[in-house]
Amino acid sequence: MKILLQLFEKVRPVFEDKGVLSPMKPLYEAMENFFFAPASKTLYAPFSRDPLDIKRYMSMVIIALLPCVAASLYFFGLQIISMIVVSYAAGGLVEVAFAVIRKEKIAEGFLVTGLIFPLVLPPATPLWMVAVGCAFGVFVGKEIFGGTGRNLFNPAIVGRCFLALAYPAAMSASWIEPGSGLTGRLLQYVTGSNVEAITSATPLVEAKQGVFADTLHLAIGNISGSIGETSGLLIIIGGIFLLLTKVSNWRTVVGVLGSAVLFEAILHGVNPEQYAPALWHLFAGGLLFGAFFMATDPVSSPSTNQGKWTYGVLIGSVAILIRNFSGYVEGMMFAILLGNIAAPIIDEIVFSVRLRMLRNE
Amino acid sequence: MKLRGGYNLKIEGRPGGFLDKASLPETLYLPLASRSFNFSQICTVHGRHVVVGDILARDPDNYDIPLLSPCSGQVDLESTTGHVVLHELSGDESGVQIKYDDAKHAHKMGSADFERHKLLNLGAWEYVKDAYTGQTPDPLSTPQAVIVSTIQLEPFLVRGDVLLEASLQQFTRGLEHLQSLLEYQPIYLVLPKIKTDISAKIKEHIRGYAWVKTIDVPLKYPYDNAAILSRHIGLKRGDGFIWSLNADGVVAVDTALTSSKPCVERVISVAGPGAKHPLHLRLTAGYPVAEIRKRYAQKHAVAVDGGILTGQLLTDDIKGISVDCKGITFVPERQSREFLAFVRPGFDRQSYAPCFMSSLRGLFAERLTNSVRGEVRPCVSCNFCEEVCPAGITPHRLHKLIYQDDIDEIERSRIDLCIECGLCSFVCPSKIELMHEFQEAKGAIAKEKAAAAKREADAAQQTDSE
Ligand code: SF4
Ligand code: SF4
């Protein structure tokens, strides 16, 4: 370790203001501080700080997603790994480019975006589409707003939305029948040309035709769907881990899931023929994944606790509305986008109510 | 207002219940400027011989609060800038009664006013602050209430129980003296919500005092803060001063009024993760910082005047303990850079958010250093700062407004309610210097207001002269 640290010390001058590679300083700093805890000391009170930093904070999300990633390898094949790598490369490139242009530090947000983005794609999406989508998402969803922390939208959702609108045909031809047996598809590399593996149907598509997949399959995940979205149970496990670490806020999750289940239960109660049971909807499609991993993105959701409730309820009910009363089969994506737009307004309202309550103090 | 937010940090270095007395040093260095006072008006001359309780300087902006000589010695105004230095010290010959019953004071004012002057000139008024502003209140005013706190929740300041154990008698007598200065206003006595030996004893002692109202406060930092408590009780800003003082202040009141002695001794804590053995120390203002460092600090530790959350870095040009010092906290300097720190399991890390394996074990105290422990990043709206803020304001929103430089909106968002407890900066994973930003913004707002007031006054003068 000493040697590595010395190496960093040695090459630092090259990246300093007058060095040959000074424009690349953000990259150098990111590398150095990735390997070694940053050297800065407190100048102002408080003179000690909490050990949690953004790197750790973001890593928690990655840990929480690992069960889903592992399951997806089993169900859909090894191409998932290359998709994740491509997504990281494309997202990272945009992030680094902007850090260099703005002379700012490289923020860790893309570590999460780079992993979440492929998980919401169909499992046989061509790699070039993964790259384009991720780059677009990071660029439009984040960088043009000023980078991590200032983004209005969740970049992964923006990328996903872009692909869905720009290449609808290619996307709907990229679903894969899940593997089964001992090794599943663990030893396969599935692409769009593996005709026997490709399917066009996901449970939500079939539901439009009145065919409902078994809820048990939805919970376990041996069903076609987006890479990370199929196994309800693993998503819940990862999601609860995130809630326990306080990285995601339970109010958002309960808001989304509670309102969706309640709304769907009412619909089902009114007309059981036409509307599926609430439990089925809970596990189908991206509702769980969206609630636990996407709606909870702290930057693009309201920051106040009261705001998070409102935001969650908004997303949950809009998702169910779209699923049941529109031509689209999946509503989560648009519901979260809508929530992202509403977030700053919700926050403003909460703030002005708060200030009014403080008026007499 | 309900008590909200707050957070108890678990850090190694809490001072023990032991109270040590520092021996008389060779030289005392009394700083002329401290955190709350600026003794700019010198009342002595170079070379003069002074005795205990002689007034060395006064603070003209704070009701002429005096800087008292803690013992007999020779004044030296020239050797160290910013300090009154005392050489050739000799301890206080106890029995020397300060003759305060100056007839020239007594006949000019009523007896209550006389007592207040005594408090001021014998150095007890230094301990009294206004709950909301934190400034010294006018000693001649009548407050709307008095808040006396027996607990001290910030790590690592003087523990109220240690102090009271040593002087419970004086404490209750001091309360009576305080009451005699008031008309009908209540004295709120802040006690810990849990039952402790000392709180039981206090309750026993004050049983007959109808004018004392006790408030039981949960032991969570910073619920002992006077501004938070005033809001909690429902005392209004603008209804007059609220005197707030701690147990040591009440004891000082007793010293001044019962025995007419100058209050020159104080108890401070010398603690923190960088202290050799954290303890309480009885000493006088002016005690050399270097001496304390030599005796009680570990190697490579920075010294902080005050607690770890709200203190100020003790720079090398401050040579002695100031009159309003509550404690010295030593924080070890971070020595090495950990390899891949953020992926370590972290069994030994104590964090606000349970993101470390240490959440699986019970509570323990971590040995913290002065490392920021991360890089500064844009706010991710994680909401931690809002959760811990005891004032009910929204730190991350203030941060964004400060970034936009929107002074009006900052003011409207009630930055004035911030009590500068430091919790928001402590928990922020993006390592944003929230509290420091707020202090600066408050300063800027105050300056702007003063400038506006001056402009108005000038304009009024002009219209007058026309
Ligand atoms: S704790 Fe820091 S990162 Fe989190 S909301 Fe507050 S300012 Fe933002
Ligand atoms: S905003 Fe002020 S009162 Fe609130 S946590 Fe920060 S320092 Fe404390």
Side-chain angles (χ1 to χ4, degrees):
Chain A
M1 298 320 123
K2 272 249 169 69
I3 301 170
L4 189 59
L5 187 59
Q6 278 161 3
L7 186 72
F8 271 117
E9 299 286 340
K10 216 179 212 157
V11 297
R12 176 173 302 138
V14 184
F15 295 95
E16 290 298 343
D17 281 347
K18 293 202 183 61
V20 203
L21 288 175
S22 64
M24 284 304 176
K25 193 168 176 211
L27 200 59
Y28 166 80
E29 275 190 342
M31 290 297 284
E32 182 190 338
N33 290 333
F34 180 85
F35 284 114
F36 295 99
S40 43
K41 292 171 181 172
T42 50
L43 296 175
Y44 312 107
F47 289 96
S48 285
R49 300 295 162 89
D50 196 277
L52 183 66
D53 68 351
I54 287 293
K55 280 200 185 68
R56 179 102 188 174
Y57 186 82
M58 295 294 182
S59 334
M60 289 296 136
V61 185
I62 295 174
I63 294 174
L65 286 169
L66 287 182
C68 295
V69 173
S72 71
L73 293 181
Y74 170 82
F75 290 132
F76 301 123
L78 291 175
Q79 77 282 10
I80 309 289
I81 295 181
S82 21
M83 289 171 75
I84 294 175
V85 171
V86 167
S87 161
Y88 266 129
L93 211 64
V94 177
E95 177 74 38
V96 171
F98 269 86
V100 168
I101 293 170
R102 286 205 202 98
K103 298 204 181 1
E104 273 183 10
K105 295 189 177 147
I106 297 172
E108 284 79 6
F110 84 96
L111 291 178
V112 172
T113 309
L115 184 55
I116 287 198
F117 178 67
L119 295 189
V120 294
L121 294 178
T125 312
L127 293 181
W128 67 269
M129 272 169 60
V130 177
V132 170
C134 189
F136 183 90
V138 174
F139 177 69
V140 173
K142 193 163 84 178
E143 302 301 349
I144 58 172
F145 290 99
T148 302
R150 301 186 197 106
N151 46 320
L152 182 58
F153 298 107
N154 184 329
I157 296 260
V158 174
R160 175 73 174 83
C161 217
F162 167 73
L163 289 185
L165 297 177
Y167 311 101
M171 292 292 274
S172 61
S174 301
W175 306 106
I176 295 181
E177 281 294 348
S180 57
L182 189 62
T183 55
R185 292 190 189 275
L186 268 178
L187 302 175
Q188 298 175 18
Y189 190 99
V190 188
T191 60
S193 50
N194 290 38
V195 190
E196 40 79 40
I198 299 297
T199 166
S200 62
T202 65
L204 282 169
V205 174
E206 288 173 345
K208 287 266 171 192
Q209 290 132 21
V211 186
F212 292 103
D214 190 352
T215 312
L216 187 68
H217 284 228
L218 293 173
I220 294 173
N222 50 347
I223 194 109
S224 112
S226 297
I227 297 171
E229 291 180 354
T230 55
S231 171
L233 290 178
L234 291 181
I235 294 172
I236 293 177
I237 290 175
I240 287 183
F241 169 76
L242 264 199
L243 292 184
L244 288 179
T245 58
K246 277 204 187 175
V247 169
S248 65
N249 195 303
W250 60 270
R251 294 171 186 85
T252 312
V253 178
V254 175
V256 175
L257 298 181
S259 61
V261 166
L262 193 71
F263 194 5
E264 187 64 34
I266 294 172
L267 288 179
H268 183 69
V270 172
N271 186 350
E273 297 286 292
Q274 198 178 350
Y275 304 109
L279 201 61
W280 187 88
H281 265 283
L282 180 66
F283 283 104
L287 186 62
L288 278 175
F289 192 84
F292 278 112
F293 292 110
M294 310 204 72
T296 52
D297 166 34
V299 180
S300 56
S301 60
S303 51
T304 56
N305 285 342
Q306 295 91 331
K308 284 187 205 285
W309 278 116
T310 324
Y311 172 80
V313 171
L314 178 76
I315 291 178
S317 25
V318 169
I320 293 298
L321 269 182
I322 297 179
R323 277 188 182 183
N324 288 305
F325 302 101
S326 81
Y328 288 98
V329 289
E330 175 55 292
M332 236 3 219
M333 190 170 70
F334 293 114
I336 296 180
L337 268 185
L338 192 75
N340 288 169
I341 296 176
I345 307 162
I346 298 176
D347 261 348
E348 272 315 307
I349 296 172
V350 174
F351 286 136
S352 73
V353 172
R354 267 192 203 173
L355 292 181
R356 199 156 302 166
M357 273 158 45
L358 287 176
R359 206 168 38 192
N360 294 329
E361 296 278 352
Chain B
M1 182 191 77
K2 270 204 349 225
L3 292 173
R4 45 151 293 149
Y7 175 53
N8 281 338
L9 342 178
K10 282 265 176 277
I11 315 180
E12 196 184 282
R14 217 170 112 84
F18 183 61
L19 182 54
D20 204 1
K21 189 167 162 50
S23 54
L24 196 67
E26 277 178 22
T27 319
L28 287 179
Y29 301 88
L30 293 148
L32 286 174
S34 69
R35 293 191 68 175
S36 33
F37 304 115
N38 184 11
F39 301 103
S40 53
Q41 185 188 338
I42 307 285
C43 307
T44 184
V45 288
H46 182 73
R48 180 185 283 175
H49 184 82
V50 290
V51 297
V52 187
D54 274 357
I55 291 171
L56 302 175
R58 286 188 185 274
D59 179 354
D61 299 325
N62 273 313
Y63 309 99
D64 283 337
I65 280 223
L67 175 66
L68 302 181
S69 170
C71 57
S72 323
Q74 185 105 27
V75 175
D76 170 1
L77 292 175
E78 282 158 11
S79 67
T80 317
T81 44
H83 293 73
V84 176
V85 182
L86 289 181
H87 298 293
E88 295 169 30
L89 310 175
S90 55
D92 65 318
E93 308 93 54
S94 37
V96 178
Q97 285 262 334
I98 295 297
K99 303 180 286 315
Y100 195 76
D101 33 6
D102 252 348
K104 91 167 187 263
H105 288 293
H107 76 106
K108 257 194 291 178
M109 48 191 116
S111 72
D113 277 3
F114 175 67
E115 304 234 292
R116 286 154 184 239
H117 272 268
K118 216 162 151 181
L119 285 182
L120 185 71
N121 285 325
L122 289 175
W125 200 247
E126 280 157 16
Y127 292 87
V128 184
K129 296 276 180 262
D130 179 53
Y132 279 125
T133 62
Q135 309 283 339
T136 302
D138 184 352
L140 295 181
S141 67
T142 304
Q144 54 165 317
V146 178
I147 298 181
V148 171
S149 171
T150 63
I151 47 180
Q152 180 60 265
L153 297 173
E154 180 178 357
F156 306 91
L157 296 181
V158 177
R159 282 162 49 181
D161 56 341
V162 173
L163 212 100
L164 284 168
E165 197 73 62
S167 45
L168 191 56
Q169 195 76 44
Q170 288 100 304
F171 177 75
T172 39
R173 218 163 43 200
L175 283 180
E176 284 173 26
H177 280 299
L178 274 176
Q179 196 269 335
S180 70
L181 300 177
L182 306 173
E183 285 153 16
Y184 52 85
Q185 294 81 0
I187 294 181
Y188 293 98
L189 186 63
V190 183
L191 294 170
K193 193 156 203 165
I194 53 165
K195 202 169 165 196
T196 62
D197 274 358
I198 196 77
S199 73
K201 269 191 217 160
I202 296 174
K203 280 195 174 150
E204 179 81 12
H205 270 258
I206 59 166
R207 185 168 293 150
Y209 299 179
W211 35 270
V212 172
K213 298 189 180 161
T214 55
I215 327 173
D216 294 333
V217 172
L219 291 181
K220 194 172 181 193
Y221 176 78
Y223 289 173
D224 58 333
N225 177 279
I228 295 294
L229 287 174
S230 304
R231 282 173 69 185
H232 178 56
I233 306 166
L235 301 172
K236 291 265 173 289
R237 231 167 257 262
D239 283 0
F241 289 115
I242 303 163
W243 294 354
S244 79
L245 60 171
N246 286 348
D248 51 355
V250 179
V251 174
V253 166
D254 176 62
T255 312
L257 295 187
T258 303
S259 37
S260 298
K261 277 196 185 155
C263 317
V264 290
E265 273 200 336
R266 49 188 313 128
V267 175
I268 67 165
S269 60
V270 177
K276 267 188 211 149
H277 24 243
L279 81 174
H280 290 87
L281 203 54
R282 189 184 289 280
L283 41 60
T284 66
Y287 195 85
V289 174
E291 191 73 14
I292 294 187
R293 184 185 267 289
K294 196 173 87 199
R295 259 184 225 198
Y296 302 106
Q298 296 168 3
K299 254 194 211 150
H300 308 294
V302 293
V304 174
D305 177 7
I308 201 162
L309 282 160
T310 63
Q312 258 174 12
L313 220 47
L314 208 52
T315 51
D316 282 341
D317 33 305
I318 301 170
K319 300 269 184 270
I321 300 292
S322 60
V323 285
D324 51 0
C325 176
K326 292 208 170 98
I328 301 287
T329 304
F330 288 111
V331 189
E333 292 217 40
R334 202 212 37 160
Q335 291 302 315
S336 61
R337 300 179 65 178
E338 237 179 335
F339 183 66
L340 287 179
F342 74 102
V343 289
R344 302 216 164 182
F347 275 108
D348 54 351
R349 309 251 159 107
Q350 189 68 261
S351 174
Y352 174 72
C355 288
F356 295 89
M357 295 293 257
S358 61
S359 347
L360 300 178
R361 64 188 264 210
L363 283 181
F364 64 99
E366 190 187 350
R367 182 171 188 271
L368 291 186
T369 65
N370 71 341
S371 162
V372 177
R373 312 182 97 181
E375 295 158 273
V376 177
R377 288 285 181 255
C379 166
V380 294
S381 306
C382 68
N383 209 10
F384 293 170
C385 54
E386 184 187 329
E387 273 173 22
V388 293
C389 179
I393 52 177
T394 322
H396 54 81
R397 178 179 160 86
L398 284 171
H399 165 70
K400 278 164 204 159
L401 292 172
I402 288 172
Y403 189 80
Q404 295 160 8
D405 213 7
D406 187 346
I407 289 246
D408 288 340
E409 193 59 31
I410 296 171
E411 232 188 315
R412 228 173 53 81
S413 303
R414 298 310 301 272
I415 194 171
D416 59 310
L417 293 181
C418 166
I419 58 157
E420 300 178 14
C421 67
L423 282 178
C424 50
S425 303
F426 182 84
V427 297
C428 179
S430 298
K431 309 298 167 192
I432 301 171
E433 298 286 350
L434 294 162
M435 177 168 73
H436 179 68
E437 279 177 6
F438 302 160
Q439 286 166 336
E440 292 201 322
K442 278 177 172 180
I445 290 172
K447 230 185 224 162
E448 194 146 293
K449 275 198 173 148
K454 191 162 178 292
R455 269 199 305 276
E456 235 162 67
D458 286 352
Q461 219 170 27
Q462 255 180 8
T463 41
D464 275 358
S465 57
E466 265 166 27

